[in-house]
């Protein structure tokens, strides 16, 4: 299916991904913008997985200070090369991630970073909620409650505050697709004063 250049341009402006990738996604989606966005996210995740073993040799720090001057956050965003780390869009992404940290106060970067004893406490917190439920549904309900809780404390699982159709992990995967390099949050820190 032929896709108009205006539609390709709109998708490119929304995602920042190359014109060729946007055009291919739109053609595969039959011109449907929402389907094309989903295809690009899926491909972005696959691309990020392929680049997962590359070394990170560069990066940028970004800080966000809230207007009340009582909350701040710093994020270290890592990339493979200085070429990407110095890119204006990469620096903007680091800033957006710092804003997210300030607004949502995550405790851990990934679920793997949550200590086992903390996971046990979280699970114990919800065990009573599944009492009396059918046996075949208990594990599913418990897993759902734990997943929901994790979205509040695990940075990569949080919904992006400026677009709740994306998780932070998907936002970073989109950047990997855009820049063609492995990108990860190295560390983050949130500060609050009285």
């Amino acid at each position: 299916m032929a896709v108009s250049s205006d539609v390709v341009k709109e998708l490119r402006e929304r995602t920042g991904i190359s014109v060729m990738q946007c055009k291919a996604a739109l053609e595969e989606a039959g011109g449907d913008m929402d389907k094309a966005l989903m295809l690009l996210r899926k491909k972005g995740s696959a691309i990020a997985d392929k680049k997962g073993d590359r070394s990170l040799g560069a990066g940028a720090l970004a800080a966000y200070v809230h207007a009340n001057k009582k909350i701040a956050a710093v994020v270290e965003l890592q990339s493979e090369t200085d070429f990407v780390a110095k890119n204006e869009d990469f620096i903007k992404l680091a800033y957006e991630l710092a804003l997210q940290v300030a607004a949502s106060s995550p405790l851990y970067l990934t679920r793997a970073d949550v200590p086992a004893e903390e996971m046990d406490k979280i699970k114990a917190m919800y065990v009573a909620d599944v009492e009396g439920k059918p046996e075949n549904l208990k594990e599913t309900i418990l897993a759902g409650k734990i997943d929901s809780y994790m979205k509040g404390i695990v940075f990569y699982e949080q919904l992006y505050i400026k677009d709740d159709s994306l998780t932070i992990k998907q936002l970073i995967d989109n950047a990997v697709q855009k820049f063609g390099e492995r990108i990860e949050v190295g560390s983050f820190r949130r500060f609050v004063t009285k």
Side-chain angles (χ1 to χ4, degrees), residues 72-135:
V74 177
V75 168
E76 172 195 22
L77 189 60
Q78 299 174 328
S79 65
E80 294 175 40
T81 65
D82 276 344
F83 177 76
V84 168
K86 292 178 181 178
N87 183 291
E88 184 179 319
D89 289 338
F90 181 85
I91 294 165
K92 284 180 186 175
L93 174 61
Y95 176 80
E96 290 296 321
L97 294 173
L99 171 64
Q100 177 82 23
V101 169
S104 62
S105 191
L107 301 176
Y108 306 99
L109 183 60
T110 67
R111 194 175 287 217
D113 297 328
V114 180
E117 54 274 0
E118 184 68 19
M119 281 300 293
D120 290 342
K121 288 177 187 176
I122 294 167
K123 187 174 182 178
M125 190 168 54
Y126 292 108
V127 168
D129 291 355
V130 298
E131 291 303 317
K133 304 289 184 194
E135 282 300 319

Side-chain angles (χ1 to χ4, degrees), residues 14-157:
R14 286 177 68 178
T15 63
I17 296 171
S18 75
V19 171
M20 294 306 293
Q21 289 183 59
C22 289
K23 183 178 180 191
L26 281 163
E27 287 173 351
E28 188 176 336
D32 185 312
M33 183 70 71
D34 292 332
K35 285 183 183 176
L37 280 167
M38 288 180 12
L39 286 168
L40 287 172
R41 286 183 189 143
K42 182 179 177 185
K43 288 179 183 177
S45 181
I47 290 169
D49 289 344
K50 286 181 187 175
K51 297 179 185 297
D53 59 348
R54 292 185 179 179
S55 65
L56 298 166
L61 292 174
Y64 169 81
V65 179
H66 191 62
N68 68 7
K69 307 292 186 212
K70 293 186 181 276
I71 299 171
V74 177
V75 168
E76 172 195 22
L77 189 60
Q78 299 174 328
S79 65
E80 294 175 40
T81 65
D82 276 344
F83 177 76
V84 168
K86 292 178 181 178
N87 183 291
E88 184 179 319
D89 289 338
F90 181 85
I91 294 165
K92 284 180 186 175
L93 174 61
Y95 176 80
E96 290 296 321
L97 294 173
L99 171 64
Q100 177 82 23
V101 169
S104 62
S105 191
L107 301 176
Y108 306 99
L109 183 60
T110 67
R111 194 175 287 217
D113 297 328
V114 180
E117 54 274 0
E118 184 68 19
M119 281 300 293
D120 290 342
K121 288 177 187 176
I122 294 167
K123 187 174 182 178
M125 190 168 54
Y126 292 108
V127 168
D129 291 355
V130 298
E131 291 303 317
K133 304 289 184 194
E135 282 300 319
N136 60 336
L137 297 178
K138 280 185 178 181
E139 282 301 313
T140 304
I141 294 169
L142 183 60
K145 289 184 177 288
I146 291 170
D147 286 346
S148 179
Y149 183 81
M150 292 305 232
K151 287 178 183 175
I153 65 169
V154 176
F155 190 44
Y156 274 15
E157 294 184 29

